[in-house]
Amino acid sequence: MGMSEKKNPNPSKFETLEVSNFLRQIIDADLAAGKHAKRVDQAGQALPSVITRFPPEPNGYLHIGHAKSICLNFGLARDYANAPNGARCHMRFDDTNPSKEETEYVDSIIDAVRWLGFDWVQNGVEHQHYASDYFDQLYAFAEALIEAGKAYIDSQTADEIHKNRGNFGQLGTNSPFRNRSPAENIELFRDMKAGKYPDGAHVLRLKIDMSHPNIVLRDPVIYRIRHAHHHRTGDKWCIYPLYDFTHCISDALENITHSICTLEFENNRPLYDWVLEALKECGVFKDPLPKQYEFARLNLTYAITSKRKLLQLVEEKRVDGWDDPRMPTIVGIRRRGFTPESIRLFCERIGVSKADSWIDMSVLEQALRDDLEAKAERAFAVLKPLKLIIDNFDDQAEEPCSAPKHPHHEDWGRREFTLSKELWIEADDFMVEPIKGFFRLYPPKDGQPGSRVRLRHGFVIECTGYDTDANGQVIAVHAQYFADSKSGTPESNNYKVKGNLHWVNARSAIKAEVRIYDRLFTDPHPDSGDKNFLDAMNPNSKEVLTAYLEPSIADVQAEQRIQFERHGYFVADRIDHTSSNPVFNFCVGLKDNWK
Ligand code: ATP
Ligand code: MG
């Protein structure tokens, strides 16, 4: 279960780090007490001592907050694989809301969770479930609760139900329909199911306590009429169960042991327990019942994780779709170049707690940097090109040069390229009037020679001048080279220079589209208080450049990550990159220098 060693032969050193947290302590205590040790399924098969689930509603694309929940739930199943009868995590689609859910979202969710490195197969059995698979059982259990006098049909309008629920300081008022007999309730419920009533005519409510201090327990609605098509059950149903009823029952039917959710469900926990206890009394379930535990959701600075707001960004075309590399969606951060390992590492580092807090975006970025440092091959890329002409270099000569693919993995081999008379260098690496502390290229002035720099893995050059166009814009830099200064030769040590520039040969460079991304928002809390998150959008979060890359780039496959020396990490775009039309996205810089 979980990530097999086979799929992940080089787990990051952080990955085995198992930091304890309050959930692990609960599971450890349950294991020590043997709480779930003797359970068997309907076929008499022993059940795992730890079963968790990840229960998204298929009404949008998953985002980085969901990744925290995925890594937590699937991670627990992976880490407790040695518990009695093992452990597993179910992939469950919480698809009780007919109109908002779509198969497109189901597919994207499956894709995202698999990509993060998890699966839901144990002993060859797939544990992919849908709440809609339980509609028949949910209906039967609702009838059982009606028979037991624990549920009733209410025929008040939605407004009346809302008003009579009361609020914090005000107790609720019993519905005039609260004392209908079980027989009358059953008949009405069956007629609701049979489609005899329009939407909103009746609802089924639990009969708990209209003056309970916890408003959630004031006779919650558990079924409503919705004449709507469902993505899996079609038109079979016109009544649909609500979350609080469905979720705990789905957990119990799947023999979930630890049902982990975010803190906003804390008030719903007594209802979770109430429903399962009531069904236990009806003989439907038995101990040990699943238990709900809450943890603090991920709040990430410079990002928004509301599905509604993310949808708005997409629909108003403020980003280039769900998988825009600036989006905090899993498809977005994947396209940005994040690896599954980096996201798992991030989730390990932020940990799990019961206290709400903010995690800085730089923590996510650092996790990617730390993962890619050891993995990404190096290459030269000139992002804002300026021509460099070495006037004393032979017109036809092509000097072979090479550099390691990775400075700490000589075994990965070397990149081969050539140096010629005309090169591309970074426009920023030349200044007509150097500012203090600028050690790169600048021309001779007032009898002082121009600066000397090393062309990495090539020769030392000295700047001799530059050309400008009619507007005074620098269009080329001139230099001379020192033939005995080649990198790797003993004589090269005679040259001491402060600048060390990357470059590409203008004759053999590969032209590429490079997309430079920055944070989507300039405000760390773009949607806090009554701020409009659209006001905080960074107008410079995307810049498209035409860059020149060294020839070894020709072999790069889509989704391969590379370190462009001195610039940072880049990924070959998984959609648009081809060997004849290379496209790279900026992932993250070499250092955290976001201000
Ligand atoms: P909605 O508002 O549409 O319900 P949601 O973000 O709760 O959105 P779900 O599909 O219900 O989306 O979420 C699936 C699971 O992911 C839930 O268990 C939820 O608690 C968890 N989850 C959602 N957002 C976060 C977050 N920011 N941090 C951690 N877990 C999250
Ligand atoms: Mg939700």
Side-chain angles (χ1 to χ4, degrees):
M1 167 79 223
M3 292 167 302
S4 71
E5 289 300 316
K6 245 190 284 124
K7 265 198 281 177
N8 190 11
N10 297 312
S12 136
K13 65 183 165 179
F14 303 98
E15 193 137 21
T16 49
L17 190 91
E18 275 182 33
V19 185
S20 187
N21 58 46
F22 76 99
L23 290 166
R24 286 175 192 275
Q25 285 165 11
I26 290 165
I27 294 174
D28 289 342
D30 288 346
L31 289 174
K35 182 175 172 189
H36 302 103
K38 297 194 194 70
R39 304 184 310 154
V40 291
D41 64 14
Q42 281 97 325
Q45 287 285 311
L47 281 163
S49 305
V50 178
I51 309 183
T52 55
R53 86 284 171 271
F54 172 63
E57 192 181 334
N59 64 350
Y61 282 78
L62 298 184
H63 54 65
I64 184 71
H66 294 113
K68 177 175 179 179
S69 177
I70 292 166
C71 290
L72 174 60
N73 281 296
F74 285 96
L76 286 170
R78 171 198 63 199
D79 295 340
Y80 283 95
N82 294 327
N85 307 316
R88 69 184 183 227
C89 178
H90 292 189
M91 179 73 234
R92 157 133 37 91
F93 292 97
D94 196 349
D95 59 350
T96 50
N97 193 349
S99 46
K100 284 202 292 179
E101 288 146 6
E102 286 173 34
T103 312
E104 174 199 349
Y105 295 129
V106 169
D107 295 341
S108 80
I109 290 169
I110 290 176
D111 224 48
V113 180
R114 289 223 171 102
W115 177 72
L116 282 172
F118 299 105
D119 65 47
W120 35 96
V121 179
Q122 191 194 29
N123 304 327
V125 180
E126 282 225 31
H127 295 278
Q128 180 173 316
H129 304 286
Y130 295 80
S132 57
D133 287 344
Y134 310 133
F135 280 170
D136 284 321
Q137 281 147 301
L138 288 158
Y139 178 82
F141 300 161
E143 283 207 352
L145 293 175
I146 294 172
E147 303 277 12
K150 292 178 190 292
Y152 63 98
I153 301 293
D154 194 355
S155 310
Q156 297 181 102
T157 64
D159 280 348
E160 287 165 339
I161 290 176
H162 182 77
K163 190 168 131 276
N164 292 335
R165 183 172 291 144
N167 52 43
F168 241 155
Q170 190 197 345
L171 300 184
T173 318
N174 282 352
S175 163
F177 304 100
R178 200 172 194 261
N179 290 322
R180 278 175 166 155
S181 69
E184 187 186 355
N185 283 320
I186 285 283
E187 194 183 326
L188 281 166
F189 194 44
R190 288 183 182 166
D191 286 346
M192 277 166 64
K193 178 180 181 243
K196 294 197 184 159
Y197 301 108
D199 289 8
H202 308 283
V203 292
L204 181 66
R205 298 180 76 172
L206 294 177
K207 199 172 194 172
I208 305 182
D209 182 357
M210 286 307 291
S211 45
H212 201 284
N214 181 347
I215 297 170
V216 171
L217 291 179
R218 295 184 187 168
D219 291 10
V221 174
I222 60 168
Y223 262 94
R224 60 181 172 166
I225 304 172
R226 285 291 298 280
H227 291 270
H229 190 83
H230 186 278
H231 78 126
R232 298 189 82 236
T233 57
D235 296 317
K236 176 173 175 196
W237 295 90
C238 62
I239 56 171
Y240 290 94
L242 293 176
Y243 174 86
D244 282 316
F245 186 62
T246 310
H247 201 84
C248 55
I249 292 175
S250 305
D251 284 347
L253 289 170
E254 292 177 24
N255 299 297
I256 301 299
T257 55
H258 301 84
S259 179
I260 300 165
C261 62
T262 41
L263 281 174
E264 64 269 25
F265 291 99
E266 202 166 7
N267 287 339
N268 302 56
R269 182 174 2 113
L271 178 53
Y272 183 105
D273 291 336
W274 191 97
V275 171
L276 294 184
E277 286 294 334
L279 289 170
K280 190 175 87 182
E281 281 172 34
C282 295
V284 173
F285 297 124
K286 56 180 195 287
D287 285 322
L289 295 170
K291 289 286 169 205
Q292 175 183 307
Y293 302 95
E294 307 89 23
F295 71 102
R297 67 192 296 111
L298 170 66
N299 298 308
L300 191 63
T301 60
Y302 300 99
I304 51 171
T305 49
S306 149
K307 280 180 191 164
R308 181 179 61 76
K309 291 174 189 163
L310 293 173
L311 179 67
Q312 191 181 342
L313 290 177
V314 173
E315 284 186 337
E316 294 180 4
K317 299 206 185 324
R318 293 172 190 274
V319 293
D320 306 327
W322 287 106
D323 66 348
D324 183 301
R326 293 165 293 178
M327 288 281 272
T329 51
I330 296 186
V331 281
I333 53 187
R334 175 175 182 181
R335 201 158 174 200
R336 180 68 176 267
F338 277 81
T339 56
E341 292 83 356
S342 65
I343 296 169
R344 298 199 299 261
L345 174 58
F346 168 71
C347 291
E348 297 260 6
R349 285 182 177 171
I350 61 175
V352 181
S353 82
K354 281 193 87 77
D356 256 321
S357 67
W358 284 86
I359 301 293
D360 198 80
M361 180 64 97
S362 61
V363 179
L364 178 62
E365 293 165 345
Q366 187 61 37
L368 179 59
R369 204 177 278 124
D370 287 344
D371 185 46
L372 292 185
E373 157 56 26
K375 281 183 182 169
E377 289 187 10
R378 294 349 190 208
F380 282 162
V382 175
L383 301 185
K384 295 189 175 157
L386 175 63
K387 189 61 78 62
L388 173 75
I389 301 162
I390 307 175
D391 293 300
N392 65 338
F393 206 83
D394 183 278
D395 278 350
Q396 305 306 320
E398 291 281 336
E399 175 75 21
C401 302
S402 80
K405 287 186 173 167
H406 191 286
H408 309 136
H409 299 293
E410 276 295 337
D411 54 310
W412 289 12
R414 299 183 71 80
R415 326 158 355 221
E416 311 291 337
F417 42 89
T418 59
L419 187 149
S420 73
K421 188 183 182 86
E422 292 203 3
L423 310 177
W424 293 113
I425 60 167
E426 214 62 66
D428 285 354
D429 283 338
F430 175 75
M431 287 185 98
V432 175
E433 301 282 352
I435 54 166
K436 198 168 174 297
F438 183 81
F439 298 119
R440 290 167 274 164
L441 282 173
Y442 51 85
K445 194 183 178 192
D446 303 334
Q448 294 294 315
S451 63
R452 283 188 186 187
V453 299
R454 174 169 294 285
L455 296 172
R456 280 191 180 195
H457 309 294
F459 295 98
V460 171
I461 58 167
E462 182 176 302
C463 184
T464 53
Y466 60 96
D467 302 332
T468 53
D469 64 13
N471 303 318
Q473 198 70 36
V474 177
I475 50 170
V477 176
H478 290 270
Q480 59 178 1
Y481 87 113
F482 302 95
D484 60 348
S485 66
K486 176 117 186 254
S487 293
T489 64
E491 295 79 13
S492 72
N493 294 327
N494 299 333
Y495 293 84
K496 298 284 178 246
V497 292
K498 285 189 175 164
N500 206 329
L501 309 189
H502 67 275
W503 53 276
V504 293
N505 186 337
R507 287 190 195 136
S508 52
I510 293 180
K511 211 176 193 179
E513 177 175 329
V514 175
R515 301 166 181 165
I516 307 293
Y517 293 107
D518 198 348
R519 293 177 183 174
L520 197 50
F521 297 100
T522 52
D523 184 328
H525 308 290
D527 58 352
S528 66
D530 39 39
K531 284 183 215 166
N532 179 354
F533 68 103
L534 298 176
D535 296 339
M537 288 193 78
N538 176 1
N540 305 313
S541 59
K542 179 182 179 184
E543 187 184 3
V544 179
L545 304 174
T546 300
Y548 288 106
L549 314 182
E550 72 172 57
S552 71
I553 290 296
D555 302 329
V556 169
Q557 304 293 310
E559 224 170 6
Q560 190 177 329
R561 290 124 187 130
I562 301 280
Q563 185 195 105
F564 290 161
E565 294 191 26
R566 297 176 66 216
H567 285 302
Y569 296 95
F570 290 74
V571 64
D573 188 76
R574 62 184 285 241
I575 312 289
D576 298 331
H577 175 87
T578 61
S579 54
S580 56
N581 186 23
V583 179
F584 286 85
N585 301 330
F586 174 67
C587 316
V588 68
L590 296 174
K591 293 198 292 277
D592 180 17
N593 51 10
W594 209 88
K595 287 176 267 309

